[in-house]
Each structure stands twice: as structure tokens, then as C-alpha cells.
């Protein structure tokens, strides 16, 4: 990888390589863009196959955070940190050393819990820095608000694509009945949708069948059901040539991260099939909205108001994609880049005035 070329091409402002001998630490903090506000991004810990893989992960995910925040109209930028280590080798000293690196950035980067970190690990980091979110859980977790955002996204897609103001009688296939998926099912059921569900946990599937009258199907059958909406709420990479070939739903709208196996190829395939796709990082921004509100002082009413941005932004993305004959994924990137570029122009003007 040509380091500086890659960073310039992806538009990163700063990449920090954190290293130390005692305790031994190797971490990368990628700050993609702070035009809208301080870079926010959780920290993950993985024994990457090599350092290039770790860097790529940090660069890709931090840029994704910039787009997510811009689409959600939340005044934060995009960042991400990766600690290169086996989670079996966690120590208090390691997290405290990492916390000191975060502290040195003086609030340009604010972090929280991602893959292989626990709330306890985040609390250890917070002994060295205040630039951490999720130390005290004030909202009851992000899942309910993420689910509400997904529901609003489904409503926007139904309005745009099926020309309907409500979900009464629509058939929805939900993949994954975890923290978010179960809440999505509840909202869909309350609004008159007919549910078809799957989960690798038989127990979770049976519970939704019992309490919401859902039809349970085997995990491999969920993609090809004759439904109106497919809602992926389990895993990434599930929209691929094989699953899309069999897909009969006319809308794809769910919370899972990185749903498209290959962004361009499968984004295009979805469009060619006449399916309306809600870009994952736009429809699942409820989690970020939740974290942002915890940072500024949690107010449930305010957080739920901001969720409305998901509905409005998606309608704008759908219209833009249709008008320009591009995929909704391309349209969302375009919209995010415009919002960031406008914020940058205002910031530059303010700097000139204050000189
Ligand atoms: P979760 O772990 O609580 O739920 C995932 C569910 O999917 C589990 O019930 C699991 O058994 C099921 N599952 C796994 N593999 C499956 C398969 N092959 N077929 C069917 N079901 C399968 O996770 P969650 O918090 O509900 O998040 C779900 C997805 O949404 C993840 O991709 C996550 O990254 C993303 N996301 C979550 C939030 C949030 O607020 N929790 C926010 C943004 C994005």
C-alpha cells in the first residue's frame, strides 16, 4: 500500500500510529474528517493478519463514519481506532496506555466500544481521558433507537417506492431477531405488517412467532420469500449475487452493517432488479444518534426528533438516485460529500473573518 497516496485519496486528515514498549501497544487512530465536528468512532481490538489489514480497516471505517454522520445531520466527523492485539491479551495497562494516546488528541477524536471491547474496557480507557462515550449508560442502549430509525427508513421507502403512507398488510421478512431486529419486528407488527422471520436461534424465532404471530422460516429461505420488504438485521455481506438473484422483495431496509458484499457490483444489481435499497449506514444511524446524545447530555425527546432526519434524508437520496439514474448508495455518498463540503466552506469563511 502506498501510504500517503491512499490516505490522500480517501481524504483523511490525520492518521496516528500509536506504539509503545511498556506496555506493548500497537494501535491506529484514523481521523477522516472533522468539518462537521470532532471525529467520533469506536475502538475495536483484533489480531489482524498484518498491519496493512489493520490500517485498511481503520481507514475504511473512519470514512464510513464521516458519511454516516453527514447523512444523519449530526455535527460530528468520522474516526475509527483499531488496537492490533489478541483480545485474550487484554490488560489494564494496555487500555490506559491507549487512553493516553486518545487524550493527546485533545478532543479531535472521541471513542467508545466496538468489536472485542467491553463497557469495562471503555471505563479503563476513561481513567486517562474524558474523550470517551458509553461509560455511563444513560439511554438504555442503542438498539431501541436504532430500530426506530430502521422503522422510519422502511416508512420512507414504502412511501417512495410503493406509494403508500402506511404498512398495513405489507409482508416483511426480517433476518435476525437480536437487539435491533426484535424491536423492528415489534414496530412492524404494531403498524399492521405481516412478519416472516428467521434467526439461527430457534428460541428467539419461537418467541417472535408466539408474541407477534410471525411465520418462522429457515435461515437459508429468508432471501427468496414473496414479500414486499426484506430487512437484514443480522450480518454483513449478505447481499451478494446468489441472494440477490433469488430476491423477490421490492425494498431492502435493515440495520445490519456493510450489507453489500461488493458495494458497486451488488448496488448496481439491486438497482437493475428494480429494488429500492436503503443504504445501511443511513438507515442504521440511530446508534450514532444515540451515542451523540449521550455525549451532549441525553434527552430522549431530542434523540427521537433527530431520528426524523433518517426519514427525510432517505427520501432525498431516493429522489436523487432516481433523477440521476444512479444507485442509492452513490446518491447517499454524493449527499454526504456535499454536506461536508458546505460545512468546510463555512468553517474556512469563519476562520478568515476571525483572523
Ligand atoms: P445482535 O447480536 O443482538 O443480533 C443479531 C441476531 O442475528 C442474533 O439474534 C443472531 O442469532 C442472528 N443471526 C446471526 N447469524 C444469522 C443468520 N445467518 N441468519 C439469521 N440470523 C442470524 O445484534 P444487533 O445489535 O441486533 O445488531 C444487528 C446488526 O445491526 C449488526 O450487523 C450490527 O452491527 C448492526 N447495527 C446495530 C446497531 C445497534 O444499535 N445495536 C446500530 C447500527 C448497526
Amino acid at each position: 500500500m502506498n501510504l500517503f497516496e491512499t490516505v490522500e485519496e480517501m481524504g483523511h486528515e490525520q492518521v496516528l500510529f500509536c506504539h509503545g514498549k511498556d506496555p506493548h501497544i500497537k494501535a491506529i487512530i484514523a481521523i477522516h474528517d472533522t468539518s462537521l465536528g470532532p471525529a467520533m468512532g469506536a475502538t475495536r481490538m483484533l489480531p489482524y493478519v498484518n498491519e496493512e489489514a489493520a490500517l485498511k480497516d481503520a481507514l475504511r471505517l473512519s470514512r464510513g463514519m464521516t458519511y454516516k454522520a453527514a447523512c444523519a445531520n449530526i455535527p460530528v466527523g468520522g474516526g475509527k481506532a483499531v488496537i492490533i492485539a489478541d483480545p485474550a491479551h487484554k490488560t489494564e495497562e494496555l487500555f490506559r496506555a491507549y487512553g493516553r494516546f486518545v487524550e493527546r488528541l485533545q478532543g479531535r477524536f472521541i471513542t467508545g466500544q466496538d468489536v472485542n471491547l467491553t463497557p469495562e474496557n471503555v471505563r479503563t480507557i476513561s481513567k486517562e481521558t474524558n474523550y470517551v462515550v458509553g461509560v455511563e449508560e444513560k439511554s438504555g442502549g442503542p438498539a431501541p433507537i436504532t430500530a426506530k430509525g430502521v422503522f422510519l427508513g422502511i416508512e420512507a421507502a414504502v412511501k417512495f417506492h410503493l406509494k403508500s403512507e402506511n404498512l398495513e398488510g405489507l409482508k416483511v421478512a426480517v433476518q435476525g431477531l437480536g437487539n435491533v431486529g426484535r424491536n423492528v419486528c415489534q414496530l412492524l407488527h404494531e403498524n399492521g405488517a405481516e412478519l416472516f422471520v428467521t434467526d439461527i436461534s430457534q428460541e428467539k424465532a419461537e418467541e417472535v412467532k408466539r408474541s407477534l404471530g410471525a411465520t418462522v422460516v429457515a435461515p437459508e429461505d429468508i432471501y427468496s420469500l414473496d414479500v414486499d420488504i426484506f430487512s437484514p438485521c443480522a450480518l454483513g455481506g449478505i447481499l451478494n449475487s446468489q441472494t440477490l438473484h433469488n430476491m423477490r422483495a421490492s425494498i431492502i431496509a435493515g440495520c445490519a452493517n456493510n450489507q453489500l458484499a461488493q458495494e458497486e457490483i451488488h448496488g448496481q444489481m439491486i438497482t437493475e432488479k428494480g429494488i429500492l435499497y436503503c443504504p445501511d449506514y443511513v438507515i442504521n444511524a440511530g446508534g450514532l444518534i444515540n451515542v451523540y446524545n449521550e455525549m451532549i447530555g441525553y434527552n430522549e425527546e431530542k434523540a427521537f426528533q433527530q431520528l426524523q432526519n433518517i426519514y427525510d434524508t432517505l427520501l432525498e437520496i431516493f429522489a436523487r438516485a432516481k433523477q440521476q439514474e444512479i444507485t442509492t448508495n452513490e446518491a447517499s455518498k454524493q449527499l454526504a460529500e456535499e454536506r461536508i463540503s458546505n460545512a468546510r466552506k463555512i468553517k474556512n469563511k469563519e476562520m478568515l473573518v476571525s483572523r
Side-chain angles (χ1 to χ4, degrees):
M1 179 196 279
N2 190 332
L3 200 57
F4 279 97
E5 228 171 65
T6 307
V7 168
E8 192 180 319
E9 211 175 273
M10 292 183 77
H12 284 75
E13 286 178 15
Q14 188 180 13
V15 182
L16 191 73
F17 291 88
C18 318
H19 61 93
K21 273 193 181 151
D22 190 19
H24 177 75
I25 178 169
K26 270 188 192 173
I28 301 169
I29 300 176
I31 297 181
H32 180 253
D33 194 289
T34 56
S35 307
L36 295 170
M40 259 184 129
T43 300
R44 54 174 54 184
M45 183 178 204
L46 284 168
Y48 288 94
V49 282
N50 54 42
E51 288 164 9
E52 186 173 327
L55 178 63
K56 273 189 182 161
D57 212 23
L59 293 179
R60 182 179 62 86
L61 293 165
S62 53
R63 185 176 61 179
M65 280 299 289
T66 302
Y67 289 149
K68 181 182 262 201
C71 283
N73 259 329
I74 295 295
V76 296
K80 193 80 191 178
V82 298
I83 300 176
I84 309 170
D86 188 329
H89 301 149
K90 289 178 181 178
T91 61
E92 158 126 14
E93 290 70 34
L94 171 82
F95 288 118
R96 290 191 74 144
Y98 171 67
R100 290 192 289 278
F101 281 110
V102 174
E103 177 64 17
R104 277 189 221 163
L105 288 165
Q106 285 296 300
R108 267 175 64 70
F109 173 67
I110 300 166
T111 197
Q113 180 198 343
D114 195 30
V115 180
N116 287 332
L117 257 66
T118 63
E120 191 47 43
N121 301 149
V122 177
R123 261 191 291 279
T124 307
I125 297 169
S126 76
K127 289 183 184 167
E128 301 285 348
T129 181
N130 285 329
Y131 301 115
V132 164
V133 284
V135 180
E136 278 176 61
E137 192 56 80
K138 296 165 193 145
S139 61
I145 198 165
T146 303
K148 178 79 180 150
V150 170
F151 178 75
L152 287 169
I154 291 175
E155 282 193 317
V158 164
K159 181 184 167 87
F160 188 86
H161 205 51
L162 306 180
K163 313 282 175 242
S164 171
E165 294 291 338
N166 64 67
L167 307 185
E168 198 66 50
L170 291 182
K171 293 180 178 166
V172 188
V174 181
Q175 179 186 45
L177 304 168
N179 294 318
V180 182
R182 176 62 180 83
N183 280 297
V184 169
C185 286
Q186 185 69 37
L187 292 165
L188 290 167
H189 174 74
E190 284 166 9
N191 284 273
E194 189 183 343
L195 291 171
F196 296 80
V197 299
T198 196
D199 198 291
I200 47 170
S201 154
Q202 193 67 25
E203 201 183 321
K204 288 183 184 175
E206 284 303 320
E207 188 278 321
V208 177
K209 178 181 175 179
R210 230 181 6 258
S211 50
L212 306 180
T215 302
V216 177
V217 302
E220 62 277 15
D221 294 337
I222 197 77
Y223 305 105
S224 55
L225 295 178
D226 185 9
V227 293
D228 301 288
I229 301 154
F230 171 59
S231 185
C233 297
L235 311 160
I238 45 93
L239 299 176
N240 54 46
S241 303
Q242 197 191 338
T243 56
L244 289 172
H245 179 73
N246 298 325
M247 182 119 0
R248 291 153 87 186
S250 53
I251 290 168
I252 299 174
C255 71
N257 277 316
N258 306 319
Q259 293 168 25
L260 297 166
Q262 287 171 287
E263 221 172 88
E264 277 170 32
I265 297 174
H266 299 119
Q268 192 58 40
M269 192 171 168
I270 289 173
T271 308
E272 280 163 13
K273 279 187 75 109
I275 300 172
L276 184 67
Y277 172 62
C278 297
D280 44 22
Y281 63 89
V282 182
I283 194 169
N284 75 13
L288 175 65
I289 291 174
N290 192 68
V291 166
Y292 170 71
N293 278 279
E294 287 200 350
M295 186 177 84
I296 59 168
Y298 196 75
N299 174 326
E300 187 173 275
E301 201 181 323
K302 197 166 169 204
F304 276 89
Q305 262 170 18
Q306 284 173 347
L307 269 187
Q308 191 60 35
N309 291 337
I310 293 179
Y311 181 92
D312 297 337
T313 297
L314 279 171
L315 283 181
E316 196 174 336
I317 288 167
F318 300 152
R320 193 183 275 243
K322 188 175 178 186
Q323 194 190 20
Q324 296 184 31
E325 296 179 0
I326 55 177
T327 66
T328 50
N329 234 29
E330 286 171 89
S332 61
K333 272 191 193 158
Q334 222 183 58
L335 181 76
E337 277 162 9
E338 271 172 31
R339 286 182 180 172
I340 295 158
S341 149
N342 288 340
R344 213 173 279 149
K345 278 184 203 145
I346 294 169
K347 224 178 180 179
N348 289 345
K349 236 186 223 165
E350 283 169 0
M351 271 164 64
L352 281 176
V353 171
S354 68
R355 264 185 204 161

